[in-house]
Structure formats: structure tokens, C-alpha cells
Amino acid sequence: MINRNTVKVLDLKPVTRTMCHDFYIKINSEFDTPEAIKEAVSWWQKDSEKLNDLWWVLNYHSEKFDPNRDLRAFVERHLDSLARQKDISLEE
């Protein structure tokens, strides 16, 4: 799960399965391997909303994309990093 502090700092909202359907279709059609999805994370690494949406797609469709939770953990680490950066910038 996404860290509670990360959710708070980045103001991440829960996403329903229906809400992320279009993003699921995009992920399913454009990225055919876990490595391709990881590469996409690098493109979106500063976009917390997009990463949050990706996490929910991976969560709802874990049997297809992420049965071992590796990709979700990867996205969670990126979100945690964004939250830490935002915390630091707010303290300055």
C-alpha cells in the first residue's frame, strides 16, 4: 500500500476501477512487459497523479500486470520519493 504520509503530502485520491479503466486500456495496449511499465514510470516520475493512477491500475489488474507486487512497490518508492522532496521543499 501507498504510505499514509505519502498520500497526505501528495494529496493522492483513491481511484475506483471504473475511474482508471481508460488508463488500464492505455497500459494494456502500449506496454507489453513489466520492464516497459517500469520505463513508463521514469517518464512520469514527477507526476504524482499519473503514478497514483498507475498504482491503482496495477492494483486492480494485478493478475495481469503485477502478480508479485513488484511493480506496485516500484511505483510506491517513486511516490515516497516525491513526497520526501515536497516535504523538504516546504521546509525551506
Side-chain angles (χ1 to χ4, degrees):
M1 292 302 296
I2 300 172
N3 180 302
R4 190 178 294 234
N5 187 59
T6 296
V7 170
K8 181 181 168 191
V9 169
L10 297 176
D11 193 29
L12 300 176
K13 306 293 184 219
V15 178
T16 66
R17 190 178 192 114
T18 303
M19 290 167 63
C20 68
H21 179 73
D22 291 340
F23 197 47
Y24 163 74
I25 297 298
K26 177 182 175 69
I27 297 295
N28 195 39
S29 64
E30 293 183 16
F31 308 106
D32 54 356
T33 66
E35 291 75 27
I37 294 172
K38 278 187 177 182
E39 184 176 333
V41 170
S42 71
W43 304 332
W44 305 325
Q45 65 186 349
K46 300 289 184 195
D47 188 338
S48 60
E49 287 183 35
K50 186 79 116 181
L51 291 173
N52 185 50
D53 289 347
L54 177 59
W55 187 90
W56 284 100
V57 167
L58 294 172
N59 187 54
Y60 289 127
H61 302 281
S62 61
E63 69 284 347
K64 177 170 180 63
F65 295 121
D66 193 24
N68 297 326
R69 290 194 40 86
D70 295 332
L71 288 172
R72 279 174 282 180
F74 186 72
V75 173
E76 288 166 14
R77 285 191 299 273
H78 277 281
L79 287 168
D80 290 343
S81 175
L82 286 175
R84 280 190 302 276
Q85 290 171 7
K86 187 171 182 176
D87 264 347
I88 290 169
S89 69
L90 292 174
E91 291 174 1
E92 294 177 345

